[in-house]
Amino acid sequence: MRARVWCKDKKDENEDMTEQNTNNEHEALPETPADETVVVEDEEVTAPSMSTVERAELLLRQDETIARRIDEGATLDEAIDPSNKEFGPLAHPEQVQMRVAKRAMMLKDRLNPYPVSLDVTSTIDAVRAKWDGKLEPGAETDDVVGIAGRVLFIRNAGGLCFVQLAAGDGTTIQAMLSKKQIGADSLKLFKQLVDLGDHLFVKGRVIASKTGELSVFADEWAIASKALQPLPTLHKELNEDTRTRKPYIGMIADERIRNMVRNRSKAVSSLRHTFEEHDFLEVETPMLQTIHGGAAARPFTTHMNAFDLDLYLRIAPELFLKRCLVGGIDRVFEINRDFRNEGVDATHAPEFTMVEAYEAYGNYDTIAKLVKELIQKTAIDVFGSTKVTLLDGAEYDFGGEWKQMSMYDSLSEALGQQITPATSVAELGAIADKLGVERDEVENHGKLVEHLWEHFYEDKLYEPTFVRDFPVETSPLVKAHRSKPGVVEKWDLYVRGFELATGYSELNDPIVQRERFVAQAKDALAGDEEACDIDEDFLEALGVGMPPAGGMGMGIDRLLIALTGATIRETITFPLVKPLNS
């Protein structure tokens, strides 16, 4: 099918659009990777291997050829090569060629397909807010507006074209272009040049059509930005590959994706506001670090040429935020990008956003209250209530009091035998083998306790639950429990079967911290890739004196998962995905 505007002739020039997108046949044609089989004129052809530069040069040559043909007087159909006999299967598909030809035709006629500015005087949303429901069918006003939006639908009724324009937030309005108003030549040019997906400017009076549709009756029009790639069929649900690899298409086509971007922004704004209400100061810490620390995770490595130095991408900002406490900034937080070279699933991504906060003279009890307030206020600020509706239609309530449970007590209850910090690695290992629980190459008491606990509870804690008092071996930055030997004052918050946040009473004894670092370093030498290294600069900072403190960390992406029921890929605006050709 030729890539042209879908225009269905109608005798009645007063009929306007009554349905949206159902006749949109502009399906996006994905680029074909090198060394893949494509179909050309019903024949299978193996696309040649081609580097990125070679293919880019090929496409430029095709663009130049199309433009030259247009300059020489060719029609749009004559300027393109639907079968790509000249340039091969890796060149532009037919629909893109047609749009490139229209761009060339505009340039030939001295029409800028990408003007610097236009006489935009209002927004689609503002016009709707002012006039929606206030005009009878056929009514006209003297309100002249200049608006712009993306073309989602076009219908031709002979001497009258109806166009649906959409703002970035999805708000739509109808534009009407009449031969009597703009002239036969202008309407002919409109039909010839404008495609679905183009950004279009129209200026004219606000009216209601004969069927009552709020419209702008155009006195003039211009292409604000010529789209060379066709949109997908908008009335069909986007597939997962398009949503993740081309999120900008998802923002155009799917209201849920647009809402996720907006809700994420509202959530971050809410968190900042709540921190400000509690007199927290926002700071920024380094992403490139000489020593990775602050969490148990495998880091990404890079190299700095200027210093000839290997560096790590940040896995957590914790050790630098604690330095702020040492420096006298008693309440500090950071919303930060972190990088962990680990697995990818519905709740894990290699690049993610986290908020961490530290409160001098707080502890894991006070920080738990803060986290509860942060989450509940975010739910209210984004969705208007602590009771939210998930994507599957289920309701989830973040209100009320939240459950608390002890890791050791709940594990003992599940096993039917007492597990304490004194239980040996051998005994825990035997239990794990009996239950078929995973074993790490580098094992210790704490890792086995956590694996056993996760076996029984991790995906079963649906309502908000603070799991408290962890083994010391897996929590090297946490203060020892004030009354339970071998346990640290740490909690993990579980929501809907996954961990959402963590909180500590922060370790501030430099001697004990060095002992913990040494134990971690020995684990790293034994092969534990998640163990942290010894950070002498941080130890020196602790030696200057860090006040008692409570600290927390929470994934922003996971917060959106908890609030919406989406996967982590759906909450991240531009998720990292594996290239098709790798």
Side-chain angles (χ1 to χ4, degrees):
M1 176 184 174
R2 297 283 178 168
R4 53 177 178 269
V5 176
W6 185 86
C7 288
K8 185 176 180 181
D9 289 331
K10 293 285 185 181
K11 293 182 180 179
D12 182 3
E13 294 189 357
N14 291 319
E15 181 175 354
D16 61 333
M17 297 181 294
T18 57
E19 60 178 333
Q20 300 177 3
N21 302 324
T22 55
N23 294 301
N24 179 0
E25 297 176 352
H26 292 259
E27 190 74 40
L29 300 179
E31 291 188 358
T32 305
D35 296 321
E36 293 217 355
T37 300
V38 296
V39 176
V40 178
E41 290 189 336
D42 300 324
E43 294 182 6
E44 285 193 356
V45 178
T46 300
S49 178
M50 189 172 287
S51 70
T52 302
V53 172
E54 289 171 336
R55 181 158 187 258
E57 290 178 334
L58 170 72
L59 297 177
L60 283 173
R61 289 197 302 273
Q62 189 178 34
D63 294 340
E64 292 164 357
T65 299
I66 291 171
R68 186 183 68 251
R69 290 170 181 166
I70 291 292
D71 286 340
E72 292 172 352
T75 65
L76 292 172
D77 285 342
E78 291 169 344
I80 70 171
D81 177 12
S83 63
N84 261 330
K85 290 181 179 178
E86 180 178 356
F87 291 95
L90 289 183
H92 288 310
E94 180 185 356
Q95 292 189 57
V96 176
Q97 289 184 57
M98 179 61 73
R99 290 166 180 251
V100 169
K102 291 180 181 183
R103 172 188 177 277
M105 184 169 284
M106 291 181 69
L107 292 173
K108 179 184 177 183
D109 295 338
R110 296 186 178 181
L111 298 173
N112 190 346
Y114 307 100
V116 174
S117 62
L118 293 156
D119 188 21
V120 176
T121 63
S122 187
T123 64
I124 293 174
D125 183 65
V127 174
R128 282 217 165 271
K130 183 176 181 179
W131 292 107
D132 248 348
K134 298 177 182 178
L135 298 178
E136 297 293 328
E140 300 185 5
T141 76
D142 294 325
D143 187 10
V144 176
V145 296
I147 61 169
R150 188 183 294 275
V151 177
L152 297 187
F153 190 90
I154 300 175
R155 175 178 290 173
N156 177 26
L160 187 63
C161 267
F162 299 91
V163 186
Q164 185 187 64
L165 298 180
D169 64 358
T171 307
T172 61
I173 198 168
Q174 179 171 272
M176 299 169 61
L177 294 95
S178 167
K179 179 170 64 177
K180 295 178 183 178
Q181 189 73 14
I182 65 174
D185 290 343
S186 181
L187 188 64
K188 179 181 178 181
L189 196 63
F190 173 87
K191 294 178 182 180
Q192 185 179 47
L193 295 179
V194 177
D195 288 299
L196 302 185
D198 290 350
H199 287 269
L200 184 70
F201 164 80
V202 295
K203 186 174 183 179
R205 290 176 295 118
V206 177
I207 69 168
S209 71
K210 296 284 177 140
T211 59
E213 180 72 20
L214 184 64
S215 307
V216 175
F217 193 62
D219 295 317
E220 59 181 282
W221 67 273
I223 291 178
S225 180
K226 182 65 189 168
L228 301 185
Q229 295 288 339
L231 293 178
T233 303
L234 297 181
H235 66 274
K236 293 181 180 179
E237 186 173 350
L238 293 179
N239 60 45
E240 176 69 16
D241 192 62
T242 299
R243 283 200 303 268
T244 54
R245 294 185 184 279
K246 301 178 181 179
Y248 48 88
I249 295 293
M251 295 175 204
I252 296 169
D254 193 332
E255 183 179 14
R256 293 176 303 172
I257 296 175
R258 290 196 299 272
N259 286 342
M260 183 63 75
V261 176
R262 289 181 170 82
N263 288 340
R264 185 186 179 99
S265 178
K266 290 179 183 178
V268 171
S269 177
S270 175
L271 292 171
R272 283 196 166 100
H273 183 67
T274 303
F275 278 123
E276 288 169 2
E277 288 180 336
H278 289 274
D279 297 323
F280 278 77
L281 185 69
E282 183 173 11
V283 301
E284 295 179 340
T285 62
M287 284 192 182
L288 293 175
Q289 301 181 354
T290 56
I291 298 174
H292 69 90
R298 183 185 303 176
F300 286 95
T301 60
T302 187
H303 185 80
M304 181 180 177
N305 292 333
F307 290 172
D308 191 22
L309 181 67
D310 288 334
L311 296 170
Y312 300 99
L313 296 184
R314 174 174 61 193
I315 61 173
E318 177 170 345
L319 301 186
F320 285 93
L321 292 176
K322 287 181 176 178
R323 287 169 168 91
C324 291
L325 294 182
V326 173
I329 303 174
D330 285 347
R331 296 189 176 198
V332 63
F333 79 98
E334 181 178 13
I335 295 173
N336 55 87
R337 302 292 285 181
D338 293 313
F339 309 86
R340 298 184 183 179
N341 199 359
E342 299 172 335
V344 178
D345 57 30
T347 58
H348 293 84
E351 178 183 2
F352 61 98
T353 305
M354 185 165 61
V355 57
E356 286 200 16
Y358 296 86
E359 176 187 29
Y361 302 102
N363 54 52
Y364 77 150
D365 293 317
T366 64
I367 211 75
K369 293 179 182 178
L370 175 64
V371 167
K372 180 184 174 185
E373 182 181 345
L374 286 166
I375 294 171
Q376 290 180 337
K377 284 192 173 181
T378 298
I380 293 170
D381 290 342
V382 176
F383 297 106
S385 172
T386 57
K387 186 175 290 184
V388 299
T389 302
L390 306 178
L391 292 179
D392 63 3
E395 283 193 341
Y396 189 88
D397 193 357
F398 287 95
E401 293 302 313
W402 291 359
K403 288 178 57 178
Q404 299 192 35
M405 62 190 295
S406 161
M407 173 167 282
Y408 278 96
D409 291 347
S410 58
L411 177 58
S412 298
E413 182 179 344
L415 285 172
Q417 67 182 85
Q418 189 69 24
I419 301 296
T420 73
T423 304
S424 69
V425 171
E427 183 177 352
L428 292 170
I431 296 172
D433 290 339
K434 182 179 178 180
L435 295 173
V437 174
E438 68 172 297
R439 304 280 298 272
D440 290 330
E441 289 187 13
V442 181
E443 285 188 328
N444 56 42
H445 167 91
K447 286 189 175 184
L448 284 166
V449 166
E450 289 194 17
H451 285 323
L452 287 168
W453 182 90
E454 289 166 358
H455 172 76
F456 288 106
Y457 292 103
E458 182 175 36
D459 59 355
K460 298 177 179 63
L461 298 180
Y462 189 76
E463 63 181 293
T465 304
F466 288 108
V467 181
R468 295 164 58 93
D469 302 339
F470 278 61
V472 65
E473 293 87 352
T474 56
S475 309
L477 300 168
V478 189
K479 184 170 286 188
H481 197 281
R482 64 199 80 174
S483 61
K484 299 177 182 178
V487 175
V488 295
E489 293 195 351
K490 169 186 173 180
W491 52 255
D492 279 352
L493 172 62
Y494 279 81
V495 170
R496 294 182 43 241
F498 65 89
E499 179 194 337
L500 174 57
T502 190
Y504 303 167
S505 292
E506 299 295 339
L507 178 58
N508 61 340
D509 183 332
I511 304 299
V512 176
Q513 185 63 80
R514 179 173 274 108
E515 291 173 354
R516 302 270 187 89
F517 276 159
V518 168
Q520 286 280 303
K522 288 180 177 179
D523 285 346
L525 291 172
D528 187 347
E529 295 180 315
E530 294 187 346
C532 61
D533 205 347
I534 299 173
D535 190 334
E536 285 292 344
D537 183 76
F538 175 67
L539 291 171
E540 185 175 339
L542 283 188
V544 174
M546 187 183 95
M552 59 78 66
M554 176 170 62
I556 302 294
D557 318 300
R558 289 196 174 198
L559 177 59
L560 268 294
I561 293 172
L563 291 170
T564 65
T567 66
I568 196 166
R569 276 191 175 187
E570 292 169 321
T571 69
I572 297 175
T573 308
F574 295 98
L576 178 66
V577 292
K578 188 176 181 180
L580 290 171
N581 294 338
S582 65

